[in-house]
Amino acid sequence: MLNENMLMISTFRPIELGPVELDILEYIGHSTSISVYQIYKNLQENRWKKSISYKNIHKRVIRLLELKLIYEIKGNFRRGAKPYRITTHGLINFLGNRGSESHRFILNNKDNLLIRYLLLEYFEEKTLDSFYLLKYFPGGNIRDYIHDCCSLIVRKCKSLWNFIKKFELEEILPKDESIQKYLSYLDGKPIDDNVLQEIDIYENKLKEKMKNFPDKELLRYYQSNDYSFYKKEIEETEEIVEEPPFPFGLIYVEMSFLEAELEDKVRLLTFDLIYELGDIINTQEIKSFDALEELISEGRDNSLPNMLKDRKFLEMVKSIKQNFDSGYNQFIYYYNRKFFYLQ
């Protein structure tokens, strides 16, 4: 079953951005509110980017706005300023391309679906607030995890939507919001009749379009049953599952796989954090918590004490330990059994 975050990601089409646009997206992503003039001033302070004019920055901000990677904060501001914030898709696009050693993109976007999904589901807010630099342990691990997750989302969505694009459906596809609601409906959630009507209209247009579609190999794929096969597999049933119109079944299946891969990422992060902590303790022969805290706080992210007291994170640690111990015991059992027979 897809959660609300995967529904949002399902309609994400990665955008190719130039270095200046990524710089601008970085400034916006690290702020709760920033205007074109403030971005211009920040770039002027960088001697490598000082030559970029205000006009060119404004043009690029408008493009990011049109691409829905940022949004304008409405209100009456001094001198008619227009402040901007980054959207969830904008944050994925930026972090998937570059990543960041500053924790400000976390601190200033805790209401963003991406941060809530990838971090706040597994860490308490106090832990995230305690980071001040995503560079050393454990902050560097968090940085790499976020970058890996966003890079994975970018790759998966780019591949998915590039494939869908081959069917030339852009002009007839329903609105993104309707696609997301329909994917939720495929999970058994209620749906508005207007959305179903929109899907029916789309399906009729799709059938007409596919009648004369020139690529026969692609046409055969269009006629395959990704969704129904997947549903039968995960629900272990022989019941007939109605196949949704292309490409919604494909999107649903790909988002389900992506969700599972992202869950693997957080498990690997948890294991990595515990393993690295153990390595530090064993290598440095740390005998007390005070000694460990003193070592970690010297020029590093002083967030480990909060992480060690984090109940959300502890639940993930316990889950991984339980599974690891079960697997380990099986290995030992079969090894000892084999050794017994060899004697």
Short mmCIF file of all heavy atoms in Angstrom, two decimals, residues 129-168:
data_model
loop_
_atom_site.label_atom_id
_atom_site.label_comp_id
_atom_site.label_asym_id
_atom_site.label_seq_id
_atom_site.Cartn_x
_atom_site.Cartn_y
_atom_site.Cartn_z
N ASP A 129 17.37 18.66 15.12
CA ASP A 129 17.74 20.04 15.48
C ASP A 129 19.17 20.13 16.02
O ASP A 129 19.77 21.20 15.99
CB ASP A 129 16.78 20.60 16.53
CG ASP A 129 15.40 20.88 15.96
OD1 ASP A 129 15.28 20.96 14.71
OD2 ASP A 129 14.45 21.04 16.74
N SER A 130 19.69 19.01 16.52
CA SER A 130 21.01 19.04 17.16
C SER A 130 22.16 19.01 16.16
O SER A 130 23.30 19.29 16.50
CB SER A 130 21.15 17.87 18.14
OG SER A 130 21.15 16.63 17.46
N PHE A 131 21.86 18.66 14.90
CA PHE A 131 22.92 18.70 13.89
C PHE A 131 23.26 20.14 13.55
O PHE A 131 22.38 20.99 13.44
CB PHE A 131 22.47 17.99 12.61
CG PHE A 131 22.35 16.50 12.74
CD1 PHE A 131 21.11 15.88 12.79
CD2 PHE A 131 23.49 15.72 12.80
CE1 PHE A 131 21.02 14.52 12.92
CE2 PHE A 131 23.41 14.34 12.91
CZ PHE A 131 22.16 13.74 12.98
N TYR A 132 24.52 20.43 13.37
CA TYR A 132 24.90 21.75 12.88
C TYR A 132 25.81 21.66 11.66
O TYR A 132 26.07 22.65 10.99
CB TYR A 132 25.59 22.57 13.98
CG TYR A 132 26.91 22.02 14.47
CD1 TYR A 132 28.11 22.39 13.85
CD2 TYR A 132 26.97 21.15 15.54
CE1 TYR A 132 29.32 21.90 14.29
CE2 TYR A 132 28.18 20.65 15.98
CZ TYR A 132 29.36 21.03 15.36
OH TYR A 132 30.56 20.53 15.79
N LEU A 133 26.28 20.46 11.35
CA LEU A 133 27.11 20.28 10.16
C LEU A 133 27.02 18.83 9.73
O LEU A 133 27.32 17.93 10.51
CB LEU A 133 28.57 20.64 10.47
CG LEU A 133 29.53 20.66 9.29
CD1 LEU A 133 29.18 21.81 8.35
CD2 LEU A 133 30.97 20.82 9.78
N LEU A 134 26.56 18.60 8.50
CA LEU A 134 26.41 17.23 8.01
C LEU A 134 27.70 16.80 7.32
O LEU A 134 27.75 16.57 6.11
CB LEU A 134 25.22 17.14 7.05
CG LEU A 134 23.87 17.58 7.61
CD1 LEU A 134 22.79 17.41 6.56
CD2 LEU A 134 23.52 16.82 8.87
N LYS A 135 28.75 16.69 8.12
CA LYS A 135 30.06 16.41 7.55
C LYS A 135 30.74 15.22 8.22
O LYS A 135 31.22 14.32 7.56
CB LYS A 135 30.95 17.65 7.67
CG LYS A 135 32.27 17.54 6.92
CD LYS A 135 33.02 18.86 6.94
CE LYS A 135 34.32 18.76 6.14
NZ LYS A 135 35.05 20.05 6.14
N TYR A 136 30.80 15.24 9.54
CA TYR A 136 31.43 14.16 10.28
C TYR A 136 30.38 13.20 10.82
O TYR A 136 29.19 13.42 10.71
CB TYR A 136 32.26 14.73 11.43
CG TYR A 136 33.28 15.76 10.99
CD1 TYR A 136 33.05 17.12 11.18
CD2 TYR A 136 34.47 15.38 10.37
CE1 TYR A 136 33.98 18.06 10.77
CE2 TYR A 136 35.40 16.32 9.95
CZ TYR A 136 35.15 17.67 10.16
OH TYR A 136 36.06 18.60 9.75
N PHE A 137 30.86 12.11 11.43
CA PHE A 137 29.94 11.16 12.07
C PHE A 137 29.22 11.84 13.24
O PHE A 137 29.85 12.53 14.02
CB PHE A 137 30.74 9.96 12.58
CG PHE A 137 29.92 8.98 13.37
CD1 PHE A 137 29.11 8.07 12.73
CD2 PHE A 137 29.96 8.99 14.76
CE1 PHE A 137 28.35 7.17 13.45
CE2 PHE A 137 29.19 8.10 15.49
CZ PHE A 137 28.39 7.19 14.84
N PRO A 138 27.89 11.66 13.37
CA PRO A 138 26.98 10.88 12.51
C PRO A 138 26.32 11.71 11.42
O PRO A 138 25.54 11.19 10.63
CB PRO A 138 25.95 10.37 13.51
CG PRO A 138 25.84 11.47 14.52
CD PRO A 138 27.22 12.07 14.63
N GLY A 139 26.60 13.04 11.39
CA GLY A 139 25.95 13.91 10.40
C GLY A 139 26.26 13.55 8.97
O GLY A 139 25.39 13.63 8.10
N GLY A 140 27.51 13.13 8.71
CA GLY A 140 27.88 12.76 7.35
C GLY A 140 27.09 11.56 6.85
O GLY A 140 26.77 11.46 5.66
N ASN A 141 26.75 10.65 7.77
CA ASN A 141 25.93 9.49 7.41
C ASN A 141 24.53 9.92 6.99
O ASN A 141 23.95 9.38 6.05
CB ASN A 141 25.85 8.53 8.59
CG ASN A 141 27.21 8.12 9.12
OD1 ASN A 141 27.95 8.94 9.64
ND2 ASN A 141 27.55 6.85 8.98
N ILE A 142 23.98 10.91 7.73
CA ILE A 142 22.66 11.45 7.40
C ILE A 142 22.69 12.12 6.03
O ILE A 142 21.80 11.93 5.20
CB ILE A 142 22.20 12.47 8.47
CG1 ILE A 142 22.06 11.81 9.84
CG2 ILE A 142 20.91 13.16 8.05
CD1 ILE A 142 20.91 10.84 9.95
N ARG A 143 23.74 12.90 5.78
CA ARG A 143 23.89 13.57 4.47
C ARG A 143 23.91 12.56 3.33
O ARG A 143 23.21 12.71 2.33
CB ARG A 143 25.19 14.39 4.48
CG ARG A 143 25.52 15.07 3.15
CD ARG A 143 27.00 15.38 3.06
NE ARG A 143 27.80 14.17 3.04
CZ ARG A 143 28.96 14.05 3.69
NH1 ARG A 143 29.44 15.03 4.42
NH2 ARG A 143 29.63 12.90 3.63
N ASP A 144 24.73 11.52 3.48
CA ASP A 144 24.85 10.51 2.42
C ASP A 144 23.54 9.77 2.22
O ASP A 144 23.16 9.44 1.08
CB ASP A 144 25.97 9.52 2.75
CG ASP A 144 27.34 10.17 2.73
OD1 ASP A 144 27.47 11.26 2.15
OD2 ASP A 144 28.28 9.59 3.30
N TYR A 145 22.85 9.48 3.31
CA TYR A 145 21.55 8.79 3.24
C TYR A 145 20.54 9.62 2.45
O TYR A 145 19.87 9.10 1.55
CB TYR A 145 21.06 8.52 4.66
CG TYR A 145 19.57 8.28 4.79
CD1 TYR A 145 18.98 7.11 4.30
CD2 TYR A 145 18.74 9.23 5.40
CE1 TYR A 145 17.62 6.88 4.43
CE2 TYR A 145 17.38 9.00 5.54
CZ TYR A 145 16.82 7.84 5.05
OH TYR A 145 15.47 7.63 5.17
N ILE A 146 20.43 10.91 2.79
CA ILE A 146 19.48 11.79 2.09
C ILE A 146 19.84 11.89 0.61
O ILE A 146 18.96 11.81 -0.27
CB ILE A 146 19.47 13.19 2.73
CG1 ILE A 146 18.82 13.14 4.12
CG2 ILE A 146 18.73 14.18 1.85
CD1 ILE A 146 17.32 12.96 4.11
N HIS A 147 21.12 12.08 0.33
CA HIS A 147 21.56 12.20 -1.07
C HIS A 147 21.28 10.90 -1.84
O HIS A 147 20.77 10.94 -2.98
CB HIS A 147 23.06 12.51 -1.12
CG HIS A 147 23.62 12.55 -2.51
ND1 HIS A 147 23.23 13.48 -3.45
CD2 HIS A 147 24.54 11.76 -3.12
CE1 HIS A 147 23.88 13.26 -4.58
NE2 HIS A 147 24.67 12.23 -4.42
N ASP A 148 21.57 9.75 -1.22
CA ASP A 148 21.32 8.46 -1.88
C ASP A 148 19.83 8.26 -2.16
O ASP A 148 19.45 7.79 -3.23
CB ASP A 148 21.85 7.31 -1.02
CG ASP A 148 23.36 7.24 -0.99
OD1 ASP A 148 24.00 7.91 -1.82
OD2 ASP A 148 23.90 6.50 -0.13
N CYS A 149 18.99 8.60 -1.16
CA CYS A 149 17.54 8.44 -1.34
C CYS A 149 17.03 9.33 -2.48
O CYS A 149 16.26 8.88 -3.33
CB CYS A 149 16.80 8.80 -0.05
SG CYS A 149 16.95 7.56 1.25
N CYS A 150 17.45 10.58 -2.48
CA CYS A 150 16.98 11.52 -3.51
C CYS A 150 17.53 11.16 -4.88
O CYS A 150 16.83 11.29 -5.89
CB CYS A 150 17.34 12.96 -3.13
SG CYS A 150 16.41 13.58 -1.71
N SER A 151 18.78 10.69 -4.94
CA SER A 151 19.36 10.25 -6.22
C SER A 151 18.58 9.06 -6.76
O SER A 151 18.33 8.96 -7.97
CB SER A 151 20.83 9.86 -6.04
OG SER A 151 21.61 10.98 -5.69
N LEU A 152 18.20 8.15 -5.86
CA LEU A 152 17.41 6.98 -6.26
C LEU A 152 16.05 7.41 -6.80
O LEU A 152 15.60 6.92 -7.84
CB LEU A 152 17.23 6.04 -5.06
CG LEU A 152 16.33 4.82 -5.28
CD1 LEU A 152 16.92 3.90 -6.34
CD2 LEU A 152 16.14 4.07 -3.96
N ILE A 153 15.40 8.33 -6.10
CA ILE A 153 14.10 8.83 -6.55
C ILE A 153 14.23 9.48 -7.93
O ILE A 153 13.40 9.24 -8.82
CB ILE A 153 13.52 9.85 -5.54
CG1 ILE A 153 13.17 9.14 -4.22
CG2 ILE A 153 12.27 10.53 -6.11
CD1 ILE A 153 12.81 10.09 -3.09
N VAL A 154 15.27 10.30 -8.11
CA VAL A 154 15.49 10.98 -9.40
C VAL A 154 15.68 9.95 -10.51
O VAL A 154 15.06 10.04 -11.57
CB VAL A 154 16.70 11.93 -9.31
CG1 VAL A 154 17.10 12.40 -10.71
CG2 VAL A 154 16.38 13.14 -8.44
N ARG A 155 16.53 8.94 -10.27
CA ARG A 155 16.80 7.93 -11.30
C ARG A 155 15.55 7.15 -11.66
O ARG A 155 15.24 6.94 -12.83
CB ARG A 155 17.90 6.97 -10.83
CG ARG A 155 19.28 7.54 -10.76
CD ARG A 155 20.33 6.44 -10.68
NE ARG A 155 20.07 5.49 -9.61
CZ ARG A 155 20.48 5.64 -8.35
NH1 ARG A 155 21.12 6.73 -8.01
NH2 ARG A 155 20.22 4.70 -7.45
N LYS A 156 14.83 6.68 -10.63
CA LYS A 156 13.64 5.87 -10.85
C LYS A 156 12.55 6.65 -11.59
O LYS A 156 11.94 6.15 -12.54
CB LYS A 156 13.10 5.36 -9.52
CG LYS A 156 13.96 4.31 -8.86
CD LYS A 156 13.77 2.95 -9.53
CE LYS A 156 14.51 1.86 -8.80
NZ LYS A 156 14.30 0.54 -9.40
N CYS A 157 12.30 7.87 -11.13
CA CYS A 157 11.23 8.68 -11.74
C CYS A 157 11.61 9.13 -13.14
O CYS A 157 10.76 9.18 -14.03
CB CYS A 157 10.91 9.88 -10.85
SG CYS A 157 10.07 9.43 -9.31
N LYS A 158 12.88 9.43 -13.34
CA LYS A 158 13.34 9.83 -14.67
C LYS A 158 13.15 8.67 -15.65
O LYS A 158 12.65 8.87 -16.77
CB LYS A 158 14.81 10.24 -14.62
CG LYS A 158 15.35 10.79 -15.93
CD LYS A 158 16.78 11.28 -15.76
CE LYS A 158 17.30 11.88 -17.05
NZ LYS A 158 18.68 12.39 -16.90
N SER A 159 13.56 7.47 -15.25
CA SER A 159 13.41 6.30 -16.10
C SER A 159 11.94 6.01 -16.38
O SER A 159 11.55 5.74 -17.53
CB SER A 159 14.07 5.09 -15.43
OG SER A 159 13.85 3.92 -16.16
N LEU A 160 11.10 6.09 -15.34
CA LEU A 160 9.67 5.81 -15.49
C LEU A 160 9.00 6.79 -16.44
O LEU A 160 8.31 6.39 -17.39
CB LEU A 160 9.01 5.88 -14.10
CG LEU A 160 7.47 5.81 -14.08
CD1 LEU A 160 6.99 4.46 -14.61
CD2 LEU A 160 6.95 6.04 -12.66
N TRP A 161 9.22 8.10 -16.20
CA TRP A 161 8.52 9.09 -17.01
C TRP A 161 9.09 9.24 -18.41
O TRP A 161 8.38 9.62 -19.34
CB TRP A 161 8.46 10.42 -16.27
CG TRP A 161 7.42 10.37 -15.19
CD1 TRP A 161 7.60 10.12 -13.87
CD2 TRP A 161 6.00 10.50 -15.38
NE1 TRP A 161 6.40 10.09 -13.21
CE2 TRP A 161 5.40 10.32 -14.11
CE3 TRP A 161 5.19 10.75 -16.48
CZ2 TRP A 161 4.02 10.39 -13.93
CZ3 TRP A 161 3.82 10.82 -16.30
CH2 TRP A 161 3.24 10.64 -15.04
N ASN A 162 10.37 8.92 -18.59
CA ASN A 162 10.93 8.88 -19.94
C ASN A 162 10.30 7.76 -20.75
O ASN A 162 10.05 7.90 -21.96
CB ASN A 162 12.45 8.70 -19.90
CG ASN A 162 13.19 9.99 -19.61
OD1 ASN A 162 12.59 11.07 -19.66
ND2 ASN A 162 14.46 9.90 -19.30
N PHE A 163 10.02 6.63 -20.08
CA PHE A 163 9.36 5.52 -20.76
C PHE A 163 7.93 5.90 -21.13
O PHE A 163 7.47 5.66 -22.25
CB PHE A 163 9.37 4.27 -19.87
CG PHE A 163 8.68 3.10 -20.49
CD1 PHE A 163 9.28 2.38 -21.51
CD2 PHE A 163 7.41 2.73 -20.08
CE1 PHE A 163 8.64 1.30 -22.10
CE2 PHE A 163 6.76 1.64 -20.66
CZ PHE A 163 7.38 0.93 -21.67
N ILE A 164 7.20 6.50 -20.18
CA ILE A 164 5.82 6.91 -20.45
C ILE A 164 5.77 7.93 -21.58
O ILE A 164 4.85 7.92 -22.42
CB ILE A 164 5.18 7.49 -19.16
CG1 ILE A 164 5.03 6.38 -18.11
CG2 ILE A 164 3.84 8.14 -19.45
CD1 ILE A 164 4.62 6.87 -16.74
N LYS A 165 6.79 8.78 -21.63
CA LYS A 165 6.84 9.84 -22.65
C LYS A 165 6.88 9.25 -24.07
O LYS A 165 6.41 9.88 -25.02
CB LYS A 165 8.09 10.71 -22.41
CG LYS A 165 8.06 12.03 -23.15
CD LYS A 165 9.26 12.88 -22.72
CE LYS A 165 9.23 14.23 -23.43
NZ LYS A 165 10.39 15.07 -23.03
N LYS A 166 7.42 8.04 -24.21
CA LYS A 166 7.50 7.41 -25.52
C LYS A 166 6.11 7.15 -26.11
O LYS A 166 5.97 7.00 -27.33
CB LYS A 166 8.28 6.09 -25.42
CG LYS A 166 9.75 6.28 -25.12
CD LYS A 166 10.47 4.94 -25.02
CE LYS A 166 11.94 5.14 -24.71
NZ LYS A 166 12.66 3.84 -24.59
N PHE A 167 5.10 7.07 -25.25
CA PHE A 167 3.74 6.84 -25.74
C PHE A 167 3.03 8.15 -26.12
O PHE A 167 1.88 8.13 -26.54
CB PHE A 167 2.92 6.11 -24.67
CG PHE A 167 3.34 4.69 -24.45
CD1 PHE A 167 4.35 4.38 -23.56
CD2 PHE A 167 2.75 3.65 -25.16
CE1 PHE A 167 4.75 3.07 -23.35
CE2 PHE A 167 3.14 2.34 -24.97
CZ PHE A 167 4.15 2.05 -24.06
N GLU A 168 3.74 9.27 -25.93
CA GLU A 168 3.23 10.60 -26.32
C GLU A 168 1.86 10.89 -25.68
O GLU A 168 0.89 11.24 -26.36
CB GLU A 168 3.14 10.70 -27.85
CG GLU A 168 4.48 10.46 -28.53
CD GLU A 168 4.36 10.38 -30.05
OE1 GLU A 168 3.22 10.41 -30.56
OE2 GLU A 168 5.41 10.27 -30.71
#
